[in-house]
Amino acid sequence: MKYLIGIDLGTSATKTVLFDEKGTAVSSKSVEYPLYQPQNGWAEQNPEDWYNAAITTLTYVVKNSGVDPDDIVSLGISGQMHGLVMLDEKCDVLRPAILWCDQRTGKECEELTEKLGLDTLIKITANPALTGFTASKILWVKNNEPENFAKCRHILLPKDYLRFRLTGDFATEVSDASGMQLLDVPGRKWSDIMINALGIKEEYLAKVYESPEITGYINNDTSLKTGLSVKTSVAGGAGDNAAAAVGMGVVTEGKAFTTIGTSGVVFAHTDNPVIDPKGRVHTFCCAVPGAWHVMGVTQGAGLSLQWFKNNFCFEEIHQANEENKDVYQITDAKAKDIPIGCDKLIYLPYLMGERTPHLDPDCRGVFFGLSAMHTKAHFIRALMEGVTYSLYDCLLVLKEMGITPLSMLLCGGGSKSKLWKNMICDTFSVPVETAKSSDAAALGVAVLAAVGAGIYGSIKEACDAMVPQVSDKILPDTDNTASYRKYYNIYSSLYTSLKVNYKDLANLS
């Protein structure tokens, strides 16, 4: 039996999982680390924390699994996207990594758009300039920390910094590189135009591989620290959502998934580089060679329900503690008793601004239609319905682009809610299934590693062998679909009605 390792370098923790060649998890370990916010809207981490977490978790799964290290043939890394890691000529880290959720680069996004034009940005990188992407972070360092910019000789993404420490190789792959806004996304290569606009050299960037390609091997230092063999290869891996797609088997045309986590994602595989000219959704290279994915994002998905729970559900939290239940089981039960439409209460989930379809950092959350009859249970259901409508917004943009999923996989914390699953199914009007794997990103990069190591001939073949079958398929109820659509039509008009008010509110001192 051959074995594979998947490392998932997240924002809050790194999790390492050892799988056998059939996709069964043999051993796993997770280590958390801090996030630093030195100023309002900033988000940074120490890359050394990622490395230490990876060494700790790798050592654990290798030494506690009972597996011969020589049988661990390959390793893949999934990573939080867009983060900026800068190294000097000695390969030392110059400054803390600036993360995907950092919002300091608004002026730099405007600068990039003015310099290149929105049409050029979208044509080359398939996306408008956004604060989350790496290019604007590089420009921020150039504008605000010229001494660090002058010393920079290597620019890496979080997972690729970890790859460098484990192997000594400077490498990246197309899915994660797509989120840097430096890649020619249709051409799957670095863009000279973007590189020149930032005033950097292409040699500062890592070599670009396809996701299942082998980029190097475990070096002697890593072998001594973890017990891994120097014969263990390291595959390109993938950005977190692209990796999760592979870990759920979303690797062919017509496949899609929806995530209800802190944020919400509607992700669809496509064999062609379809780009939204309005920049409402992201088009990235996916982990399957020669294919892409399109992804809509809503900022305040599970965050909305978590915010309400933390601030207003003290009774439900107490009950959950008393009955040893998940508090969301209790809130679900209360929301289930409320009819579709929440007796005419509608929620806009813009707690953190919005990305799809509005690209508006100034919009904010709204309860619309509030009356004296409404109870806490109405609010809970309205929150869930509002998030569902926001995700439906994402799906409609994909359909406008000619991408029409035949079914939808549901994952993330929200997938545990039967009520939310039914809302998605009825509102989207497609069959919905629940993804089984709780380690989809780690499994996804293990699948890529298995292909790179030659265990399987293609990602599709590897997914068929390693990815568990989905469960709990449900079909839409046409009557419910009609009811949800009536409320969605009102929901979708509210942003337009409030757009000017949002801007006025943001401009108040």
Side-chain angles (χ1 to χ4, degrees), residues 362-384:
D362 295 327
C363 61
R364 290 294 180 265
V366 171
F367 282 103
F368 176 78
L370 182 62
S371 78
M373 73 166 291
H374 290 125
T375 65
K376 186 190 294 185
H378 285 90
F379 279 85
I380 294 168
R381 180 162 186 133
L383 286 157
M384 299 172 76

Side-chain angles (χ1 to χ4, degrees), residues 241 265-268 280-284 293-297 356 398:
N241 279 297
V265 171
V266 179
F267 176 114
R280 294 166 296 175
V281 294
H282 304 314
T283 298
F284 292 155
H293 67 255
V294 181
M295 184 172 71
V297 180
T356 304
L398 266 58

Side-chain angles (χ1 to χ4, degrees), residues 249-302:
V250 179
V251 296
T252 55
E253 191 82 31
K255 294 263 192 173
F257 71 82
T258 293
T259 301
I260 305 177
T262 302
S263 60
V265 171
V266 179
F267 176 114
H269 179 100
T270 175
D271 290 338
N272 299 294
V274 185
I275 298 172
D276 176 30
K278 299 178 183 178
R280 294 166 296 175
V281 294
H282 304 314
T283 298
F284 292 155
C285 303
C286 76
V288 179
W292 289 261
H293 67 255
V294 181
M295 184 172 71
V297 180
T298 181
Q299 301 278 73

